[in-house]
Amino acid sequence: MTAIDDLPPLREVIRRHDLRAKKSLGQNFLLDLNLTGRIARAAGPFEGVDVVEIGPGPGGLTRALLAQGARVIAVERDDRALGALAEIAARYPGRLEIIAADAIDFDPRPLVGRAPTRVVANLPYNIATALLVAWLTTEPWPPWYDRLVLMFQREVAERIVAVPGSKSYGRLSVLARWRCEARILFDIAASAFVPPPKVTSSLVALVPRAAPLACARGALERVTQAAFGQRRKMLRQSLKSLGRDPLGLLAAVGIAPTARAEEIPIEGFVALARALAAETS
């Protein structure tokens, strides 16, 4: 393992601070600094960029980001990790801000100022999808970040980048690809984590579209929830939960009533959302 700084090895840090990963916090630590360095390089360059990191734990990725020149805002809810992060902050004066908070409730916008902001994180698996949806549905758009570079379970990563007609295509695919260009950068084996999860993980990059197709976000969420909530049914049935005539909605945008959700491209869902919003306005 190549040293990226003169700080102690991560296993020593974990032992000194009693930082054994907690399943209740969705923690799986990356201890290979070569691997965290690869993640940091994939998320860079960082000149003039503020990085928000969620769930840094003992700070393996934090150290890699700092070594690459980033200024980091680290959001950590596990009090046991704060001492370890403080040691990193002392090594990089003025470049690591530690926020003791639950990422679900934390709004980084007051802290990031005018510099471009990037979210780079090995996300706790138990809140990863909820955080992504919150970032994808933030207003106004374009958002406060210039890129998201995030670790997910491989199954979730496949849902994010899925295209119509694939078995992974669903609500998350539509939201992500409506507002962002999304791609999987590389996979990381379960054996790279402590403790090892039961599945492979993937690093995903999402770059916001400057001008996504215009529609009311709330209407799009309602349409996709209805359509994919009963994905095996034809849209003429699944869209009844919207409280509107599904045949009228589908006819208005030229979608066959016998179509199913997994067949509809993002443009079709946007058109349905526009039609729904027009009916309810």
Side-chain angles (χ1 to χ4, degrees):
M1 186 181 299
T2 303
I4 60 174
D5 53 38
D6 54 5
L7 289 165
L10 288 168
R11 290 188 185 277
E12 179 183 330
V13 172
I14 288 172
R15 183 173 60 254
R16 283 196 292 109
H17 293 276
D18 193 25
L19 258 175
R20 288 165 294 184
K22 287 186 176 181
K23 185 176 182 180
S24 62
L25 296 178
Q27 292 174 328
N28 298 90
F29 299 142
L30 279 173
L31 304 187
D32 185 340
L33 294 178
N34 289 320
L35 187 51
T36 60
R38 184 185 180 193
I39 294 169
R41 289 190 296 275
F46 297 113
E47 184 176 355
V49 173
D50 287 341
V51 172
V52 174
E53 183 188 4
I54 305 299
L61 180 55
T62 314
R63 289 164 61 172
L65 293 167
L66 291 164
Q68 291 288 321
R71 177 185 175 272
V72 179
I73 300 168
V75 183
E76 178 59 69
R77 66 170 291 190
D78 187 350
D79 291 341
R80 301 173 305 155
L82 300 181
L85 295 171
E87 293 171 1
I88 301 172
R91 171 62 178 77
Y92 293 93
R95 291 180 48 207
L96 174 59
E97 184 172 358
I98 304 163
I99 306 295
D102 187 333
I104 288 289
D105 303 318
F106 176 70
D107 182 359
R109 286 175 289 188
L111 297 177
V112 298
R114 296 184 179 181
T117 304
R118 197 163 299 157
V119 183
V120 184
N122 171 26
L123 293 174
Y125 285 154
N126 59 351
I127 60 170
T129 301
L131 285 172
L132 178 60
V133 170
W135 292 330
L136 289 173
T137 55
T138 189
E139 299 292 352
W141 196 273
W144 51 270
Y145 53 84
D146 73 353
R147 200 187 323 168
L148 304 172
V149 182
L150 307 170
M151 189 80 68
F152 295 97
Q153 293 179 348
R154 176 72 191 190
E155 179 185 356
V156 178
E158 290 175 344
R159 287 165 50 204
I160 292 168
V161 304
V163 297
S166 64
K167 65 178 182 180
S168 298
Y169 186 63
R171 291 185 65 206
L172 190 59
S173 319
V174 175
L175 276 179
R177 296 176 69 91
W178 168 50
R179 281 192 155 176
C180 291
E181 298 276 356
R183 64 190 180 102
I184 294 175
L185 299 180
F186 53 83
D187 292 340
I188 297 178
S191 58
F193 296 86
V194 176
K198 296 180 180 179
V199 295
T200 297
S201 298
S202 300
L203 189 69
V204 178
L206 298 104
V207 179
R209 301 181 190 274
L213 294 171
C215 77
R217 173 181 56 79
L220 182 62
E221 290 186 279
R222 288 182 61 200
V223 166
T224 53
Q225 182 176 12
F228 288 105
Q230 302 180 74
R231 63 183 299 143
R232 296 192 178 189
K233 292 188 176 182
M234 298 177 186
L235 290 177
R236 67 186 182 193
Q237 287 296 121
S238 61
L239 295 185
K240 285 182 178 179
S241 61
L242 293 173
R244 296 290 184 275
D245 173 22
L247 294 178
L249 282 175
L250 292 164
V253 299
I255 294 176
T258 55
R260 290 178 170 82
E262 65 266 23
E263 304 169 8
I264 306 302
I266 292 168
E267 294 82 358
F269 281 112
V270 168
L272 281 168
R274 288 174 180 166
L276 177 64
E279 281 197 8
T280 55
S281 61

